[in-house]
Amino acid sequence: MNRFLILLLLLVTACATPAAPVSPTAPATLRGDELPGRLLFSHSGGIWLWEGRTARQVIAPPATHAVFDHAGERIAYVVPRAGASDVLVADRAGVPIAQLTRNDPAAPPGSLERVYAAMWALYPTWLPDGSGLLAAAQGAPPVGDPPADAPLAIFRYDLTGQRQPIFADANAHLGRIAVLPSGDLIAVRTPLGSDGQQQLYQIAGGQAAPLPGAPVPAYDPALSPDGRWLVFAVGINGGSDLYAMSVTGGSAVRLTDLGTARAPVFSPDGAMLAFLAIPPGGRGFDLYLAGVTITDKGLQIDSPRRISTNFTINADAGLSWAR
């Protein structure tokens, strides 16, 4: 089955009920090891903020794919529900301040008509100057039977919700996006069809091509704060591990050997790398930290240290780290 259709079916199943306040029985906080700065992650259908040793929910379910702007003052995130998802912006405390998309099919939730009218916006990424953001979104409702043929394209959104098409590929879905200092983009591309493998593509001047030196399949690209290094997950034998390479090209170097590592993010100063992995015997993804060094062999990391226990973090939603 097409990966995109599987994702949509999972989102429809998980988000068929409207947003609700946090359950009184839900834990008020999660506690782990010391973490410098502020880190966003998705847990139990909502968005959580980790500061120091404590994580607390800042945006109630349903909410996912949260990312700080470069100043760490605003949060872009996705609200998924049955047959649609929207991109919103909140302040640093999690209070919504703008809704950039309004994907609300008229057909009732749970109906076949709503499946055919589904509209999705996912994976927001702030522009470096904070004037707006990029997201992977549909340009039109899906077609086909089943209605899986609605490729996600890349759009630019300003903070009033006006959107501008940036790049589309009629034969593939485009996913998580990284913006290089040059203005070029690195995006995850998944060909339409059941056998398509995720691959990193570089988009420049309206043209897209596979990122030279990046293994396949690859996904979850993260750019270092200085714009020189790219770290990403590579699928290996049904699992995944992290690789690094220079944005100017060259061979990718393997960083981890855990078998489940993905969703990397750099600390704001570039001195550390955080990522998610499932520990042996773990119930889900936990957070790991490692120091970053640059040598004549490229970017390398110290031995990773697990700093959360049974947080069951949503790996596809990724991580975002700010001061």
Side-chain angles (χ1 to χ4, degrees):
M1 182 184 292
N2 181 279
R3 178 183 173 86
F4 179 67
L5 181 57
I6 293 173
L7 172 62
L8 299 195
L9 290 174
L10 289 173
L11 286 173
V12 167
T13 301
C15 306
T17 56
V22 182
S23 166
T25 61
T29 60
L30 297 169
R31 297 190 183 278
D33 289 354
E34 185 78 20
L35 176 80
R38 297 173 292 138
L39 187 129
L40 293 172
F41 63 94
S42 182
H43 166 76
S44 296
I47 294 168
W48 290 59
L49 176 68
W50 192 337
E51 290 184 278
R53 296 180 180 274
T54 303
R56 58 186 173 83
Q57 184 175 265
V58 292
I59 301 178
T64 185
H65 293 173
V67 58
F68 281 118
D69 68 7
H70 288 262
E73 295 298 320
R74 295 170 296 180
I75 302 168
Y77 63 102
V78 170
V79 173
R81 57 193 183 281
S85 65
D86 281 307
V87 175
L88 283 75
V89 175
D91 64 19
R92 62 181 290 164
V95 178
I97 56 177
Q99 181 169 341
L100 305 190
T101 66
R102 298 188 181 275
N103 296 329
D104 189 14
S111 67
L112 183 61
E113 291 80 8
R114 193 172 179 93
V115 173
Y116 278 84
M119 291 291 290
W120 304 92
L122 302 165
Y123 302 114
T125 300
W126 285 95
L127 295 169
D129 64 2
S131 63
L133 49 84
L134 304 177
Q138 286 170 244
V143 297
D145 190 12
D149 193 5
L152 294 179
I154 297 175
F155 291 87
R156 181 194 187 279
Y157 294 87
D158 67 23
L159 298 181
T160 70
Q162 296 295 313
R163 81 174 188 177
Q164 172 188 355
I166 298 299
F167 185 80
D169 185 335
N171 298 310
H173 299 297
L174 298 170
R176 193 175 297 279
I177 309 154
V179 184
L180 302 182
S182 64
D184 295 348
L185 307 179
I186 302 295
V188 178
R189 180 184 183 273
T190 307
L192 300 181
S194 60
D195 299 325
Q197 287 190 314
Q198 292 175 297
Q199 188 172 358
L200 296 183
Y201 265 57
Q202 185 163 356
I203 301 170
Q207 302 296 317
L211 182 64
V216 180
Y219 42 93
D220 294 355
L223 187 68
S224 64
D226 63 8
R228 297 175 55 202
W229 301 95
L230 193 70
V231 175
F232 48 91
V234 173
I236 303 170
N237 298 326
S240 58
D241 268 300
L242 300 184
Y243 281 68
M245 62 185 297
S246 168
V247 297
T248 60
S251 298
V253 176
R254 188 167 181 168
L255 300 180
T256 65
D257 193 20
L258 297 171
T260 58
R262 59 171 301 188
V265 64
F266 284 89
S267 62
D269 62 3
M272 288 184 288
L273 188 76
F275 62 90
L276 300 176
I278 302 174
R283 300 198 309 245
F285 284 94
D286 270 312
L287 188 72
Y288 288 71
L289 284 184
V292 172
T293 57
I294 307 298
T295 72
D296 55 1
K297 296 181 180 180
L299 185 146
Q300 298 182 345
I301 63 172
D302 302 334
S303 179
R305 177 172 62 93
R306 178 185 174 191
I307 69 166
S308 73
T309 302
N310 297 329
F311 273 26
T312 59
I313 298 172
N314 179 343
D316 183 69
L319 304 169
S320 183
W321 203 343
R323 289 184 173 85

